[in-house]
């Protein structure tokens, strides 16, 4: 049954094109959004159902780009009573809070699996070349769970943006969603804080490495591409450049942090949630760590602008 649902959601994902608005009314009227939300609510995220959850959050990320899609995801259709009476879709009571909680649970699952796969990958690298193949497989799984986390955070960010009672209710549902013992017994707000904190220092170390390399280039120590010296030998300074694998890993962590910070910013628009966030020292430490790391990477660009101005003058 699960594999059949994977194929069906995959077909819907291929048919729904966000840039083609002519077919939106057909998806809205057929109850597609409500059906996908039911799958997210009723199927607990797990290793066995990971592909199904991935298809669902991909669909919801596309649906949430449209105002009508966002209303249908949380079950709050803002159409007039006359038009809504002719609607063929039915929304169960309390579906909004359950959908928001289910999305937060998907985030908790993807976050836990991503960290677990990263630890396994690091252990495989420490054991040497004997675990190269298995390590690459674990890395691919890690990429999938990071992608699931990014897309789910994207949906939550879209649902909690804006103003009005609907957006306020979405913020409260997200921040107060209880994870239970399986999710560490925390709520949605603390979960998002942990997602940022767990990646902030790793991201800062990666950016620090890239920033120092760029700074050396502007100081004339390194070079962007391999060059040849007068005696025909290659320039060894490019050996310090990070590998493509390291750059991709940095990009993945960056996307998770960006989407998580965006959702956190939207949640903080609610006064009661903002007060809770203001008392969380760990989240502030993580945000400052990322901010300082980004400033370090941008420092060579600022130095380049100063050099260009001197030459111009």
């Amino acid at each position: 049954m699960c594999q059949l649902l994977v194929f069906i959601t995959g077909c819907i994902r291929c048919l729904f094109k966000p840039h083609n608005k002519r077919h939106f009314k057909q998806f809205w009227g057929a109850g597609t959004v409500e059906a996908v939300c039911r799958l997210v609510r009723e199927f607990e995220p797990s290793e066995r159902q990971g592909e199904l959850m991935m298809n669902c959050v991909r669909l919801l990320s596309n649906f949430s780009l449209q105002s009508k899609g966002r209303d249908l995801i949380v079950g709050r259709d803002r159409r007039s009573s006359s038009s809504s009476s002719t609607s063929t879709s039915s929304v169960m009571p309390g579906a909004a809070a359950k959908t928001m909680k289910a999305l937060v649970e998907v985030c908790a699952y993807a976050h836990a699996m991503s960290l677990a796969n990263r630890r396994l990958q690091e252990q495989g690298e420490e054991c040497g070349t004997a675990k190269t193949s298995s390590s690459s497989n674990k890395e691919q799984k890690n990429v999938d769970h990071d992608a699931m986390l990014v897309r789910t955070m994207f949906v939550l960010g879209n649902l909690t943006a804006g103003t009005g009672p609907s957006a306020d209710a979405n913020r409260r549902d997200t921040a107060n969603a209880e994870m239970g013992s399986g999710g560490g017994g925390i709520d949605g707000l603390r979960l998002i804080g942990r997602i940022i904190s767990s990646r902030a220092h790793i991201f800062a170390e990666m950016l620090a490495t890239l920033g120092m390399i760029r700074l050396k280039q502007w100081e004339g120590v390194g070079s962007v591409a391999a060059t040849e010296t007068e005696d025909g030998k290659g320039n060894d300074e490019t050996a310090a450049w990070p590998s493509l694998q390291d750059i991709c890993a940095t990009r993945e962590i960056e996307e998770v942090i960006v989407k998580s910070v965006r959702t956190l910013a939207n949640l903080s628009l609610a006064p009661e949630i903002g007060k809770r966030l203001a008392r969380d020292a760990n989240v502030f430490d993580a945000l400052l760590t990322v901010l300082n790391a980004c400033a370090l990477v941008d420092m060579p660009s600022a130095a380049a602008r100063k050099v260009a101005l001197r030459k111009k003058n």
Side-chain angles (χ1 to χ4, degrees), residues 8-53:
I8 294 174
T9 52
C11 289
I12 296 174
R13 188 166 63 87
C14 293
L15 292 173
F16 185 84
K17 302 298 181 182
H19 58 273
N20 192 346
K21 297 183 178 181
R22 291 182 301 173
H23 305 299
F24 283 0
K25 188 177 294 186
Q26 298 176 17
F27 282 94
W28 307 153
T32 309
V33 180
E34 295 90 331
V36 175
C37 289
R38 281 198 298 271
L39 291 177
V40 176
R41 291 194 301 265
E42 296 176 6
F43 282 83
E44 183 178 352
S46 63
E47 195 70 40
R48 182 180 179 183
Q49 298 162 357
E51 191 175 0
L52 174 60
M53 287 297 106

Side-chain angles (χ1 to χ4, degrees), residues 82-252:
S82 59
S83 62
S84 62
S85 61
T86 61
S87 175
T88 59
S89 62
S90 59
V91 181
M92 59 180 293
K98 292 179 180 179
T99 299
M100 301 302 289
K101 180 180 179 180
L103 290 172
V104 175
E105 288 176 346
V106 174
C107 287
Y109 162 76
H111 169 60
M113 291 301 298
S114 177
L115 294 183
N117 288 331
R118 184 172 286 111
R119 285 193 294 268
L120 289 174
Q121 180 184 350
E122 292 173 354
Q123 292 175 4
E125 292 174 352
E126 291 176 357
C127 292
T129 57
K131 292 198 173 184
T132 301
S133 59
S134 61
S135 176
S136 61
N137 293 332
K138 292 183 179 64
E139 179 188 353
Q140 183 61 38
K141 289 183 179 180
N142 181 38
V143 172
D144 291 339
H145 288 107
D146 275 345
M148 182 187 296
L149 183 57
V150 167
R151 283 168 173 80
T152 311
M153 278 294 176
F154 180 76
V155 177
L156 290 174
N158 289 341
L159 296 178
T160 55
T163 58
S166 179
D168 288 338
N170 292 343
R171 295 184 189 107
R172 290 192 296 271
D173 291 339
T174 302
N176 300 325
E178 295 291 340
M179 294 295 95
S181 58
I186 61 175
D187 57 20
L189 183 63
R190 290 184 178 179
L191 172 66
I192 297 175
R194 288 190 180 184
I195 291 174
I196 298 173
S197 300
S198 64
R199 289 163 171 79
H201 294 284
I202 300 175
F203 185 62
E205 292 177 0
M206 292 178 171
L207 288 188
T209 303
L210 294 175
M212 292 305 297
I213 293 173
R214 291 179 61 187
L215 186 60
K216 288 181 179 179
Q217 292 167 3
W218 289 115
E219 292 175 347
V221 177
S223 58
V224 177
T227 58
E228 289 189 359
T229 57
E230 293 181 357
D231 56 0
K233 295 182 179 180
N235 189 350
D236 293 335
E237 294 295 341
T238 56
W241 269 88
S243 63
L244 180 61
Q245 177 181 349
D246 293 335
I247 295 176
C248 291
T250 306
R251 180 59 179 167
E252 292 159 10

Side-chain angles (χ1 to χ4, degrees), residues 41-88:
R41 291 194 301 265
E42 296 176 6
F43 282 83
E44 183 178 352
S46 63
E47 195 70 40
R48 182 180 179 183
Q49 298 162 357
E51 191 175 0
L52 174 60
M53 287 297 106
M54 188 65 183
N55 280 349
C56 288
V57 295
R58 279 177 171 173
L59 280 170
L60 292 179
S61 64
N62 287 331
F63 294 154
S64 66
L65 291 172
Q66 309 299 322
S67 176
K68 180 65 177 178
R70 292 192 294 272
D71 294 337
L72 292 174
I73 288 174
V74 295
R76 298 185 180 95
D77 193 342
R78 291 197 293 252
R79 290 176 297 182
S80 62
S81 57
S82 59
S83 62
S84 62
S85 61
T86 61
S87 175
T88 59

